[in-house]
């Protein structure tokens, strides 16, 4: 259970990190908090030749919140820092709530926001948040080329993202939370802090007459990446918010996902869980809606 | 740098220098190089929490931190929490009074986790204690007395804080 040998390089800046990784080739990896990578190395599923440590690069651990509520979080920002950020809680309270479900607090003390996003575990909370919140991920390569990738296009499979081997995630930008919208976050795991069996994040914005203006449903643990079931989201728009609608949306989610079966639960169990958690998360979002004016 | 690296860190107030393999975890550095064997290794991949130490005051899994990553930082281990005269920390007293251990293997990790937990939340509810300690496993399943110990420790630390003010 010891990690395999590797050479260690401490990056002093973003440019330094990128130059180093491009020189070292495909078997080198970035190391930030190490809370996903080091366990993979310990069980010998990952065997990098070099680790380029970016944890100390100050430019990568900044949080910015604009007056209009747009949140930008540097990739090496600790999950615990975001969880405790009053500025983020004020404009995007679902994010600290979802992060509080990642592992246990000693894990969040080391784990980074970018590390979890680039690890791309389909059952983990930050990819779910990025997808639900329409986040954009900004990356850079050694030749200086930058890209902005929508969360929708970033997660391509279990532990697979759109990122190239020599590409570094710089930050994640979360658009302003829609005015008056309510949120819900529901997760089921066997034990507090374990990976989600199913997690659901919802958003509801209502018209003054109580019908849904915009509704979002994002779900983790139900497929190879976090998902936004389009049929269930479409079903919400224009309908009167309430238990009947939420039960229908839950049933639609259960029907549209293709979860896997394992020791933690069968396909049928996961579908039922997805339906129940969707209903609950929509009810939570409804409770938190503030009608404008 | 290469596959062997220089590390220099302060452990329980003592400066330690060594040249180690880059892959050496902080846990192994503490046990092998510092001879501080109170930090226990259970699962060695971040699940059990037995190896929890404080790194710059924050509870971390020392099996998931390379020693080189802790370089130039401060580490506190179970050996560093009693007073200089050897008298127990209130947390140690409370755990002892509640028989909050069976074989004792997981105990150092529980105590180091509880130290940060109680510093942040001096008056926790039972549910908060349960959630706060949920990252540590006790294979003897002695959880009831461990939760009692953390609860009693919270009271002792609050009394101590009042006594000092």
């Amino acid at each position: 259970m010891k990690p395999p040998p590797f050479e260690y390089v401490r990056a002093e800046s973003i440019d330094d990190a990128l130059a180093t990784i491009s020189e070292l080739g495909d078997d080198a990896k970035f190391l930030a908090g190490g809370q996903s990578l080091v366990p993979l190395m310990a069980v010998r599923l990952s065997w990098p030749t070099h680790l380029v440590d970016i944890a100390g690069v100050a430019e990568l651990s900044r949080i910015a919140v604009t007056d209009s509520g747009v949140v930008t979080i540097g990739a090496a920002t600790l999950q615990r820092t975001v969880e405790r950020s009053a500025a983020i809680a004020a404009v995007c309270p679902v994010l600290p709530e979802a992060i509080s479900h990642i592992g246990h607090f000693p894990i969040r003390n080391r784990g980074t926001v970018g590390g979890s996003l680039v690890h791309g575990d389909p059952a983990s909370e930050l990819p779910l948040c990025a997808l639900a919140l329409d986040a954009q991920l900004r990356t850079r390569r050694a030749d200086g080329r930058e890209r902005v990738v929508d969360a929708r296009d970033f997660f391509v499979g279990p532990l697979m993202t759109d990122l190239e081997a020599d590409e570094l995630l710089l930050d994640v930008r979360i658009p302003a939370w829609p005015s008056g919208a309510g949120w819900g976050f529901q997760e089921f795991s066997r034990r507090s802090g374990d990976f989600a069996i199913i997690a659901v994040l919802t958003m509801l914005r209502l018209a003054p007459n109580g019908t849904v203006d915009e509704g979002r449903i994002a779900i983790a643990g139900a497929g190879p990446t976090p998902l936004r079931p389009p049929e269930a989201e479409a079903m919400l728009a224009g309908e009167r918010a309430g238990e009947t609608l939420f039960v229908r949306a839950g049933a639609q989610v259960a029907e549209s996902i293709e979860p896997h079966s394992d020791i933690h639960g069968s396909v049928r169990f996961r579908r039922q869980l997805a339906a129940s958690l969707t209903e609950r998360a929509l009810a939570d979002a409804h409770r938190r809606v503030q009608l404008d004016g | 740098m290469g596959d062997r690296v220089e590390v220099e860190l302060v452990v329980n107030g003592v400066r330690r220098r060594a040249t180690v393999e880059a892959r050496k975890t902080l846990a192994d550095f503490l046990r092998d190089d510092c001879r501080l064997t109170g930090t226990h290794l259970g699962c060695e991949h971040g699940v059990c929490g037995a190896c929890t130490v404080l790194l710059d005051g924050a509870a971390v899994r020392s099996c998931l931190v390379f020693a080189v990553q802790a370089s130039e930082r401060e580490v506190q281990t179970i050996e560093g929490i009693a007073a200089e005269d050897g008298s127990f920390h209130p947390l140690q007293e409370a755990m002892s009074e509640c028989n909050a251990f069976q074989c004792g293997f997981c105990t150092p990790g529980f105590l180091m986790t509880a130290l940060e937990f109680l510093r942040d939340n001096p008056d926790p509810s039972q549910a908060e204690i349960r959630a706060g300690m949920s990252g540590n496993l006790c294979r003897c399943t002695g959880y009831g007395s461990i939760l009692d110990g953390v609860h009693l420790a919270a009271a002792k630390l609050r009394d101590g804080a009042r006594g000092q003010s």
Side-chain angles (χ1 to χ4, degrees):
Chain A
M1 300 300 280
K2 305 295 181 189
F6 59 87
E7 290 199 28
Y8 174 87
V9 187
R10 179 174 291 156
E12 303 295 337
S13 65
I14 293 172
D15 289 345
D16 183 27
L18 284 166
T20 309
I21 209 96
S22 86
E23 193 179 302
L24 293 172
D26 287 357
D27 293 330
K29 285 187 86 72
F30 291 119
L31 169 69
Q35 301 300 286
S36 300
L37 178 58
V38 181
L40 285 181
M41 291 171 67
V43 299
R44 306 285 168 132
L45 288 172
S46 181
W47 202 297
T49 55
H50 294 75
L51 289 182
V52 180
D53 187 352
I54 55 168
V57 177
E59 312 156 80
L60 286 175
S61 50
R62 290 188 185 140
I63 291 177
V65 181
T66 67
D67 290 344
S68 57
V70 179
V71 176
T72 306
I73 302 169
T77 308
L78 296 177
Q79 292 158 6
R80 192 78 162 142
T81 305
V82 177
E83 184 185 356
R84 290 169 156 180
S85 163
I88 289 178
V91 297
C92 189
V94 65
L95 192 57
E97 166 63 22
I99 286 178
S100 75
H101 290 260
I102 301 176
H104 310 277
F105 78 84
I107 301 290
R108 302 193 294 276
N109 274 339
R110 292 284 299 168
T112 64
V113 169
S116 174
L117 291 171
V118 304
H119 186 60
D121 190 303
S124 69
E125 292 81 1
L126 276 163
L128 174 68
C129 290
L131 186 70
L133 302 175
D134 288 336
Q136 294 183 314
L137 294 91
R138 189 166 65 102
T139 71
R140 191 186 296 170
R141 295 179 76 162
D143 60 11
R145 266 186 301 157
E146 286 195 6
R147 294 197 294 156
V148 175
V149 187
D150 288 337
R152 239 173 228 288
D153 302 320
F154 189 74
F155 304 105
V156 297
L159 309 187
M160 286 185 282
T161 70
D162 184 47
L163 212 60
E164 299 288 337
D166 66 340
E167 195 172 18
L168 177 65
L169 177 65
L170 300 180
D171 53 40
V172 54
R173 180 180 173 280
I174 299 167
W177 184 252
S179 169
W183 58 272
F185 179 83
Q186 288 281 338
E187 173 169 326
F188 179 82
S189 57
R190 291 286 181 194
R191 184 180 62 135
S192 155
D194 282 358
F195 273 102
I197 296 187
I198 296 283
V200 179
L201 202 168
T202 59
M203 185 275 261
L204 277 183
R205 197 160 53 83
L206 300 188
N209 68 1
T211 60
V212 177
D213 246 0
E214 187 189 356
R216 291 186 208 160
I217 301 168
I219 177 160
T225 64
L227 306 167
R228 293 269 295 268
E231 304 87 353
E233 287 193 333
M235 177 186 272
L236 297 172
E239 298 290 320
R240 172 157 297 278
E243 195 187 339
T244 314
L245 178 63
F246 303 155
V247 170
R248 278 174 53 212
Q252 177 60 52
V253 167
E255 198 177 307
S256 57
I257 59 174
E258 288 182 18
H260 64 288
S261 175
D262 65 14
I263 192 171
H264 303 296
S266 63
V267 169
R268 185 159 165 265
F269 174 67
R270 282 187 160 86
R271 284 190 203 278
Q272 284 181 349
L273 204 49
S276 305
L277 296 182
T278 300
E279 280 174 45
R280 287 186 211 168
L282 285 169
D284 290 344
H286 192 204
R287 206 162 35 242
R288 291 191 176 104
V289 163
Q290 294 162 318
L291 285 173
D292 285 327
Chain B
M1 293 195 223
D3 63 354
R4 292 186 73 78
V5 290
E6 304 280 326
V7 297
E8 178 171 343
L9 54 158
V10 175
V11 183
N12 301 330
V14 178
R15 187 164 291 276
R16 307 274 186 167
R17 285 190 199 88
T19 303
V20 299
E21 274 191 283
R23 68 166 169 162
K24 183 165 244 178
T25 64
L26 177 59
D28 284 335
F29 179 81
L30 294 168
R31 291 180 57 84
D32 299 346
D33 298 75
C34 304
R35 295 282 160 200
L36 294 169
T37 53
T39 298
H40 290 168
L41 280 164
C43 72
E44 294 193 90
H45 64 293
V47 173
C48 77
C51 68
T52 305
V53 301
L54 300 186
L55 180 60
D56 286 345
V60 302
R61 305 277 203 252
S62 62
C63 75
L64 296 188
V65 180
F66 294 114
V68 63
Q69 292 177 286
S71 201
E72 290 156 48
R73 299 176 70 174
E74 289 204 23
V75 177
Q76 192 182 15
T77 71
I78 190 70
E79 289 91 345
I81 71 170
E84 278 187 21
D85 66 3
S87 57
F88 274 172
H89 186 281
L91 176 61
Q92 290 173 304
E93 280 175 13
M95 298 302 263
S96 171
E97 283 170 34
C98 292
N99 285 315
F101 42 80
Q102 289 185 39
C103 81
F105 187 85
C106 67
T107 307
F110 267 104
L111 265 67
M112 300 314 286
T113 305
L115 270 184
E116 185 192 344
F117 172 73
L118 292 175
R119 192 183 64 210
D120 286 355
N121 189 353
D123 192 8
S125 66
Q126 300 281 9
E128 286 169 334
I129 294 174
R130 192 172 282 267
M133 295 297 112
S134 64
N136 292 63
L137 299 183
C138 168
R139 294 294 299 269
C140 312
T141 67
Y143 295 108
S145 54
I146 292 171
L147 300 179
D148 291 346
V150 175
H151 191 246
L152 178 62
K156 281 179 182 280
L157 288 163
R158 286 198 305 274
D159 287 348
R162 269 198 293 277
Q164 281 162 15
S165 61

